[in-house]
Amino acid sequence: MTSGYHSFLGLAFMSLCYIQLVSSTSDVYIVYLGLKDVQDPILTSDYHLDLLSGVFQRKEDATRSMVYSYKHSFSGFSAKINSTQAATLAGMEQVISVFKSRTLRLHTTRSWDFMGLNLNPTADNSNPLQLTHGDNTIVGLFDTGIWPESKSFHEEPNMHPIPRTWKGKCVSGQNFNPKTACNLKLVGARYYLKGYELEHGPLNASETSEYRSPRDANGHGTHTASTAVGSTVKTASFFGFGQGMARGGAPRAWLAVYKVCWGDGRCSEADILAAFDEAINDGVNLISASFGLPPPLLPFYYSSNDIGSFHAMEKGISVIFSAGNSGPNPSLVQNVAPWSTCVGASSIDRNFPTRIVLDNCLSFLGESFNTKHIDANLVGARRYFRGGICNMDMWRNRSAVGAVILCFSTQGPVAIEDAEVAAWIANAAGLIFVDSPTRQYVDVDIIPTIRIDMIQGSKLYSYLSQSITNHTKVRIFPSKTVIKQSPAPVVADFSSRGPSAISPDILKPDISAPGISILAAWPPGISPTRTDVDQRSTEWNFQSGTSMSCPHVSGVVALLKSAHPDWSPAAIKSALMTTGAGHLNPLKAMDPGLVYDMNADDYILFLCNNGYTKDQIKRIVSLHPGTNVNCPQEHTTNANLNYPSITVSNLQSTMTIKRTVRNVSYKKTSIYFASIVSPHGVEVTVWPRILFFSYFSDESSYYVTLKPQKLSQGRYDYGEIVWSDGFHTVRSPVVVCVNTATDLAFAIDESSQPLDQSVAGA
């Protein structure tokens, strides 16, 4: 039998095994068919219904079962069926994959100045990039909807008319009138609810505060939309904090909103795939989506994010995802497909110091959004909570009126959100929460909460313990806004880390961007903490998460699309990755010098390695004429994908990897020289060490040879390859894990120390 036949059997077997793991009751399933017959949406819908009717006795039952027909940008459908029907569909030759629709979750102004995009004409680092680019770019935002009355979505001066090629719509709905909500800034607004309601029940029964329309009832969508493309607003602040000019990354870009997430941030995959289908067909230039699911990750053909983003990439549409908030443990990164961009979260150089004084003599410094003077008694947690664990379940039912409670994260342990609720239930005047300095980031709280590190917390606890009454007088001052006084950027503790659990030879996340205490637009009808007990109203709010870093990158991609409309999604991602040294650098990305480019054909080997057959790939990929699809009989490394980074997760012997770069600089004739920093325990050589570019030859290839020198013992080691012409610096990370298998012994120099047999035999 051929390898393709074996691959087909493997993929079919995986589909059947996956389906049989789920309940026998009816659920929403997604049936993916690739690119078949998408030229005629009407014929495609009929074809989908005919296919679905094959697992029903009557066509009327199949019609009632159908949820969505994906017919504009790719082919497939979602339907409410049982596992037996799903297994039958999975066995059909024309079906690529069948999977149960899962529920994805959200990954929940100064930042642009920090990255060099300063609009203040009197500033030393003033740069008008945001005012001169972004036009003619439509950003599709998948989220919880939008609050269209926000100042962030008013029309910028002299905005271009909506392009005639735009097929998107502003649809009407509850408290959403397209005639007043949409304008030359907000050019599209749709919502998708069928999958959510079938999976979670009728909307009005479970989420009474929601809107059956594109209107945002959560705040997350308004926040991310304004971060990406919000219009310029001269005065913005959260009760005086972070005061200054607010704007998105691309204030002059158009915005199209696709509401796929509901309630507390739940997003049905059936709805997400429907949004991808229509957004691609509408004509967006890029898609920003801040949601996902933590591992275990399913193969790419079982993921709405991966399927939708692949077909978007084929149409030249960049897709930017958040990496997830499951850090700092390794291998929990989400949205790891190589054709999309995965964004981690990092800090900016702004903090909010808050002074704490005990008995008018001992001073501490924490962080908070505290707006008032607080004079109270500082009391240890044990007085109000059993075992000193600041959790509602451990409350002694004692009132803490007039007290500020001192809580440690290590007691329990307990999360700061739980400690806040517990202190609020106890009626405390405030909370001092002690935690590791790596988790010290300020957030909006339901009760005045000051965060301090373990060193200060231990000193404070020691002082308090010397008091006979176990309490002392504490004065907490209003917080201040301070910039340029803290080291930044630093990757956030919560930001999900790599390596990818499903494709470790592709370095993920791709880039980091500001995601801690980000100020952006907010619906005034929603409290800043999204709780009923919080009666405050604000038009601006602070949020943290990779949900916030994702739209930062989306805004910059909109600028790049405007400046370089002929660049592919891969070229744009390359510009971001090779110029930022791991962190987003918009100014350098505009002129990266060289890019690592790819089109859909270049992912064929990657798809082969992930279980697709030759025939399936032909139905998925829009192949260029003359392109042959030949899957190797055995799995090969993905390290040869022309990615801007080089990752080898299982280096057992010397191997050589190829990379091709294209000169996109205005200077067509140039010479680039290579410099190398080898990962620990690996010898790296590059050939050739000099690359020449001219008017007649804008592409050049080079080869990287990796030779293991010592065992990594399961650890990843890091280096880099940098190409420079004296002006541009094109940096590619090199990440290697040398395998500890016994067959590596020949690669170790004989003069080195003998191998530890317990390691070599592992």
Side-chain angles (χ1 to χ4, degrees):
M1 293 184 181
T2 65
S3 61
Y5 181 71
H6 284 298
S7 298
F8 173 76
L9 288 179
L11 182 55
F13 178 74
M14 291 178 68
S15 297
L16 291 172
C17 288
Y18 172 67
I19 289 167
Q20 291 176 11
L21 288 175
V22 302
S23 170
S24 61
T25 59
S26 293
D27 293 295
V28 177
Y29 284 85
I30 294 170
V31 181
Y32 174 51
L33 305 174
L35 282 171
K36 183 178 177 62
D37 297 330
V38 295
Q39 292 82 6
D40 190 329
I42 297 177
L43 292 178
T44 303
S45 293
D46 292 339
Y47 175 74
H48 293 163
L49 185 57
D50 289 342
L51 203 63
L52 182 58
S53 297
V55 296
F56 283 93
Q57 291 184 344
R58 299 186 306 167
K59 192 170 185 178
E60 293 80 2
D61 294 334
T63 301
R64 284 192 294 270
S65 170
M66 184 76 76
V67 181
Y68 291 108
S69 175
Y70 310 125
K71 57 195 176 185
H72 299 291
S73 308
F74 47 87
S75 182
F77 58 89
S78 51
K80 191 166 188 180
I81 54 179
N82 60 39
S83 59
T84 302
Q85 293 168 313
T88 302
L89 287 167
M92 295 181 179
E93 183 180 359
Q94 58 268 57
V95 174
I96 292 174
S97 61
V98 179
F99 57 98
K100 185 179 177 182
S101 174
R102 299 168 297 169
T103 298
L104 278 57
R105 300 303 299 258
L106 295 173
H107 294 149
T108 195
T109 54
R110 161 70 190 161
S111 52
W112 296 113
D113 292 339
F114 171 67
M115 292 189 294
L117 298 180
N118 194 330
L119 300 186
N120 183 354
T122 63
D124 293 337
N125 62 338
S126 175
N127 190 290
L129 178 62
Q130 291 173 297
L131 298 182
T132 57
H133 292 81
D135 302 78
N136 302 320
T137 305
I138 302 174
V139 176
L141 191 106
F142 292 12
D143 215 292
T144 63
I146 192 169
W147 196 266
E149 293 81 8
S150 170
K151 296 176 183 177
S152 285
F153 309 119
H154 68 72
E155 298 174 359
E156 285 279 324
N158 303 316
M159 287 196 73
H160 292 180
I162 302 171
R164 294 182 179 179
T165 55
W166 173 241
K167 300 178 183 178
K169 297 179 180 178
C170 281
V171 299
S172 61
Q174 184 182 359
N175 287 19
F176 193 92
N177 183 348
K179 293 182 179 179
T180 57
C182 293
N183 51 26
L184 286 180
K185 180 67 176 180
L186 180 60
V187 300
R190 299 180 185 268
Y191 67 99
Y192 305 85
L193 190 54
K194 293 179 183 178
Y196 177 88
E197 290 196 310
L198 286 172
E199 295 167 22
H200 300 284
L203 182 67
N204 292 337
S206 59
E207 306 290 348
T208 56
S209 62
E210 257 291 5
Y211 301 100
R212 191 179 288 272
S213 73
R215 182 170 291 278
D216 186 7
N218 178 285
H220 191 278
T222 299
H223 196 281
T224 56
S226 64
T227 301
V229 298
S231 301
T232 304
V233 181
K234 292 184 178 180
T235 56
S237 73
F238 175 76
F239 298 103
F241 297 114
Q243 195 164 13
M245 180 187 294
R247 75 277 187 193
R252 299 192 60 78
W254 293 301
L255 172 65
V257 169
Y258 299 81
K259 184 176 179 179
V260 295
C261 301
W262 301 85
D264 60 353
R266 288 173 287 178
C267 327
S268 163
E269 283 198 291
D271 295 334
I272 291 169
L273 210 52
F276 267 112
D277 186 35
E278 291 199 316
I280 296 170
N281 186 65
D282 285 346
V284 299
N285 299 112
L286 66 112
I287 293 171
S288 181
S290 296
F291 47 70
L293 274 180
L297 302 180
L298 294 176
F300 297 107
Y301 39 79
Y302 289 144
S303 165
S304 61
N305 280 0
D306 297 332
I307 291 172
S309 60
F310 183 87
H311 291 292
M313 173 274 300
E314 287 189 297
K315 298 293 186 180
I317 300 169
S318 296
V319 182
I320 298 89
F321 287 118
S322 47
N325 300 338
S326 302
N329 293 328
S331 296
L332 296 180
V333 63
Q334 306 168 32
N335 298 315
V336 296
W339 46 80
S340 61
T341 300
C342 174
V343 186
S346 52
S347 64
I348 61 174
D349 62 345
R350 177 178 62 192
N351 56 1
F352 305 91
T354 308
R355 190 181 174 208
I356 304 169
V357 178
L358 302 186
D359 290 335
N360 293 319
C361 64
L362 192 61
S363 182
F364 298 86
L365 197 64
E367 275 205 86
S368 179
F369 290 130
N370 181 42
T371 59
K372 59 185 178 181
H373 283 90
I374 299 176
D375 291 291
N377 292 322
L378 181 64
V379 185
R382 290 183 180 272
R383 181 176 179 84
Y384 303 106
F385 303 100
R386 294 188 299 276
I389 302 172
C390 297
N391 189 298
M392 190 168 59
D393 296 335
M394 306 300 287
W395 184 37
R396 297 182 187 273
N397 205 26
R398 294 176 180 172
S399 173
V401 171
V404 171
I405 303 176
L406 175 65
C407 292
F408 280 76
S409 64
T410 51
Q411 296 296 308
V414 65
I416 189 170
E417 296 85 1
D418 295 329
E420 283 182 43
V421 172
W424 179 83
I425 291 291
N427 225 358
L431 171 69
I432 296 178
F433 191 78
V434 186
D435 204 353
S436 166
T438 62
R439 293 194 289 268
Q440 291 287 318
Y441 65 92
V442 66
D443 208 347
V444 180
D445 309 302
I446 61 173
I447 186 174
T449 301
I450 296 85
R451 296 150 175 82
I452 61 174
D453 60 38
M454 285 291 175
I455 296 175
Q456 292 193 95
S458 298
K459 291 180 180 178
L460 196 154
Y461 180 78
S462 177
Y463 182 89
L464 183 63
S465 299
Q466 296 174 20
S467 171
I468 298 176
T469 59
N470 197 34
H471 69 262
T472 189
K473 295 293 182 182
V474 60
R475 169 169 285 190
I476 300 174
F477 292 83
S479 307
K480 297 181 179 180
T481 302
V482 174
I483 61 174
K484 299 182 180 180
Q485 298 298 313
S486 57
V490 176
V491 175
D493 178 83
F494 59 76
S495 185
S496 294
R497 267 68 166 175
S500 162
I502 195 171
S503 53
D505 284 340
I506 305 296
L507 185 63
K508 293 286 178 173
D510 296 301
I511 195 78
S512 74
I516 297 179
S517 302
I518 301 302
L519 183 67
W522 194 255
I526 303 172
S527 74
T529 57
R530 298 194 192 95
T531 60
D532 295 335
V533 300
D534 189 351
Q535 299 299 311
R536 293 174 295 177
S537 175
T538 180
E539 294 182 353
W540 307 93
N541 197 13
F542 284 99
Q543 295 276 282
S544 296
T546 55
S547 278
M548 285 64 249
S549 55
C550 172
H552 274 88
V553 173
S554 302
V556 174
V557 171
L559 298 177
L560 292 172
K561 283 274 189 180
S562 174
H564 307 286
D566 58 331
W567 283 10
S568 70
I572 288 175
K573 178 162 62 175
S574 174
L576 297 174
M577 292 177 63
T578 61
T579 58
H583 189 267
L584 186 63
N585 189 323
L587 298 180
K588 288 187 176 180
M590 293 295 290
D591 183 17
L594 307 177
V595 296
Y596 296 82
D597 205 357
M598 287 186 286
N599 56 43
D601 293 1
D602 296 307
Y603 295 101
I604 290 175
L605 181 59
F606 182 86
L607 295 174
C608 290
N609 286 337
N610 282 275
Y612 290 88
T613 69
K614 176 180 178 179
D615 291 338
Q616 289 168 336
I617 291 173
K618 288 181 177 180
R619 298 210 307 271
I620 294 170
V621 183
S622 299
L623 298 171
H624 286 77
T627 301
N628 293 320
V629 178
N630 292 305
C631 289
Q633 294 186 3
E634 296 181 358
H635 183 283
T636 59
T637 179
N638 288 317
N640 274 307
L641 192 69
N642 200 42
Y643 216 68
S645 59
I646 295 174
T647 306
V648 180
S649 61
N650 185 21
L651 183 65
Q652 298 186 19
S653 59
T654 301
M655 70 178 300
T656 299
I657 295 167
K658 180 183 178 181
R659 286 292 187 269
T660 300
V661 288
R662 178 162 55 88
N663 182 20
V664 294
S665 173
Y666 298 109
K667 186 179 179 182
K668 300 302 180 183
T669 302
S670 55
I671 303 174
Y672 280 80
F673 298 88
S675 60
I676 304 167
V677 177
S678 295
H680 181 68
V682 180
E683 179 185 319
V684 179
T685 56
V686 173
W687 183 87
R689 295 289 294 265
I690 303 176
L691 298 179
F692 298 90
F693 300 92
S694 69
Y695 284 97
F696 308 103
S697 178
D698 63 352
E699 282 193 352
S700 187
S701 297
Y702 66 94
Y703 297 85
V704 181
T705 300
L706 306 173
K707 181 179 180 180
Q709 299 292 302
K710 63 183 296 184
L711 298 175
S712 296
Q713 298 184 350
R715 183 189 68 244
Y716 282 83
D717 291 294
Y718 302 87
E720 63 181 21
I721 297 172
V722 179
W723 292 97
S724 178
D725 63 351
F727 179 75
H728 302 95
T729 300
V730 186
R731 174 185 175 272
S732 289
V734 179
V735 184
V736 180
C737 180
V738 179
N739 191 278
T740 58
T742 53
D743 61 357
L744 177 64
F746 75 92
I748 307 299
D749 188 269
E750 293 181 355
S751 63
S752 64
Q753 295 181 354
L755 289 173
D756 184 333
Q757 295 302 311
S758 64
V759 174

